[in-house]
Amino acid sequence: MKYLCLIYLDEEAMNALPPSEWNALIRECIAYSDQLQASHYYLAGDALESVHTATTVRWRNGKLSATDGPFAETKEQLAGYCLLEARDLNEAIQLASKLPPARYGGVEVRPIRELEESLVQTVS
C-alpha cells in the first residue's frame, strides 16, 4: 500500500540552523532516501520551496481566488513529501520515523486512497 509522508517544519527555525548542521541534515536526507530506494520502499519525494512562494487557489460561489501564501497559518509549514510503498501503516510509520526532518518538525503519514475503488463503493 502507498503512504504519503508530509513533512512539516518551522521554516524560520530551519533557516536559523548553522550551515554545517543544515548541510549535515541534507546529506542525511539523501542517504536515507538512497536507503529507501535500495530497499524498494521509496516511490517519490521532494523538498518544497519556501512557504513564501506558495499560492492558494480556491473556488467559492463560482469565483476563483488566488492568494499568496499557504492555506493554514501555523508555525510549521509543509516542507516536503515522501511517497512510500509499505506493507501496512505500522511499517510506514517505522519508515517515516527515520526521516531526518522528523527530529526538527513533524511527519504526517497518510494512506493513499485508491480513488477508483472508493467510487465503486459509493455507486453500489
Side-chain angles (χ1 to χ4, degrees):
M1 186 165 187
K2 293 178 186 168
Y3 293 88
L4 183 62
C5 302
L6 300 169
I7 299 164
Y8 290 91
L9 297 171
D10 179 342
E11 193 170 292
E12 287 183 30
M14 298 308 291
N15 289 339
L17 287 178
S20 61
E21 191 173 343
W22 175 256
N23 291 334
L25 175 63
I26 298 302
R27 281 193 296 275
E28 195 176 349
C29 287
I30 292 169
Y32 188 55
S33 174
D34 290 346
Q35 183 182 342
L36 287 171
Q37 286 182 31
S39 56
H40 307 290
Y41 289 114
Y42 184 89
L43 299 175
D46 272 310
L48 300 178
E49 289 290 346
S50 166
V51 70
H52 300 291
T53 65
T55 302
T56 299
V57 178
R58 297 179 221 190
W59 278 100
R60 296 291 185 272
N61 301 321
K63 293 184 180 178
L64 175 66
S65 72
T67 56
D68 291 341
F71 178 76
E73 297 212 9
T74 63
K75 196 167 189 174
E76 291 184 344
Q77 302 293 335
L78 183 61
Y81 71 93
C82 184
L83 183 62
L84 302 174
E85 178 75 38
R87 183 179 56 251
D88 56 27
L89 180 60
N90 288 334
E91 185 176 50
I93 290 170
Q94 289 296 317
L95 295 168
S97 71
K98 296 174 186 167
L99 288 167
R103 294 193 314 268
Y104 295 88
V107 179
E108 179 181 334
V109 179
R110 279 203 205 177
I112 298 292
R113 183 191 315 182
E114 298 293 333
L115 193 54
E116 289 180 33
E117 187 175 308
S118 66
L119 286 174
V120 170
Q121 290 173 354
T122 58
V123 171
S124 55

